Amino acid sequence: MRRARHSIQSKFWPAAILLLLALFAVSAQEPEGPRISTPEVLKSEFASVPCWGKERLEAAKSLFAKLGADDKDMTVEKFKRAENLVVRKPSHLASAETIVIGAHYDKVIDGCGAVDNWTGIVAVAHIYHTLRDVPLKKNVLFVAFGNEEEGLFGSHGMANAIDKTQVEQYCAMINIDSLGLAAPQVLDNTSSRKMIQLAENTAKEMKMPFAHASVDAADADSSSFVSRKIPAVTIHGLTKDWSTILHSQKDQASRVNVNSVYLGYRLALAMLLKVDQSACTDYR
């Protein structure tokens, strides 16, 4: 997460997440038989977090490959001051309509960037794994964005490269940034109104708690798509003391509450499936 001033109003704390898991119901929107990743499987992804910035892109590529992505489906797109990894899942209807789901892979110098934002990369990669063989109506681009921390360069590059004649074909963008401390919440100040409502409604259907938790003057990759009038939302999982962990030596794998990552993964997965089954204009 690109940070500035820090103010967060979350009421959901890590100790409550175990109770949430007991109450958590599977969304009726999810298809039968997908590969749903368990908290135990997600936990294994944090046994070794890439702590050196230069290894993060290759580590993201290796994670997607491990979870079933073929080389032909993965490309590295280069923009000014950023490289994005894009994994494509085509529509089974040969539609031009597209959903983007992503997380930034880069980190600041301090710490391992486990919370910010290897949690997002893990969640997005496992959503890909879940949906890899599920026929979807829309194309889905799973993106690991580069250089978010220095100014959203990866997401700006991707969003600005969309031709103005094709913007209407981009139905929504779901961004995951910094799970791992608390139950998932939406960063209101970087999100579209209807996408915020989608997150709230989906969480309610899944019996999952929902919070509006803005970070004053902070920014995230969803903003790049909002600026192109593409509906977008950022999901995070931060507590009010997040600024003592993120962008510091404390951002280590030991800080990640895997149940927070699991809930964020399930919420974003259900939201993506709702967008896939909806008209492309529904969230504009």
Side-chain angles (χ1 to χ4, degrees), residues 91-164:
S91 160
H92 81 287
L93 300 178
S95 171
E97 295 180 344
T98 299
I99 302 167
V100 178
I101 181 165
H104 74 88
Y105 65 83
D106 62 304
K107 60 179 287 294
V108 298
I109 293 174
D110 291 337
C112 274
V115 174
D116 185 14
N117 184 33
W118 201 245
T119 56
I121 293 297
V122 167
V124 172
H126 277 266
I127 291 170
Y128 169 79
H129 179 66
T130 299
L131 297 178
R132 188 187 69 186
D133 298 325
V134 176
L136 299 177
K137 293 182 177 181
K138 298 173 175 59
N139 304 295
V140 182
L141 304 181
F142 300 84
V143 187
F145 292 110
N147 209 356
E148 185 263 3
E149 298 289 4
E150 295 296 325
L152 314 182
F153 286 104
S155 58
H156 274 317
M158 182 177 191
N160 291 340
I162 300 170
D163 189 274
K164 62 182 180 181

Side-chain angles (χ1 to χ4, degrees), residues 8-12 179 182-187 209-213 234-239 267:
I8 195 163
Q9 304 298 324
S10 173
K11 296 181 180 179
F12 300 120
L179 300 169
Q185 300 136 64
V186 162
L187 193 66
F210 176 86
H212 297 269
T234 287
I235 299 169
H236 69 86
L238 300 175
T239 51
L267 177 61

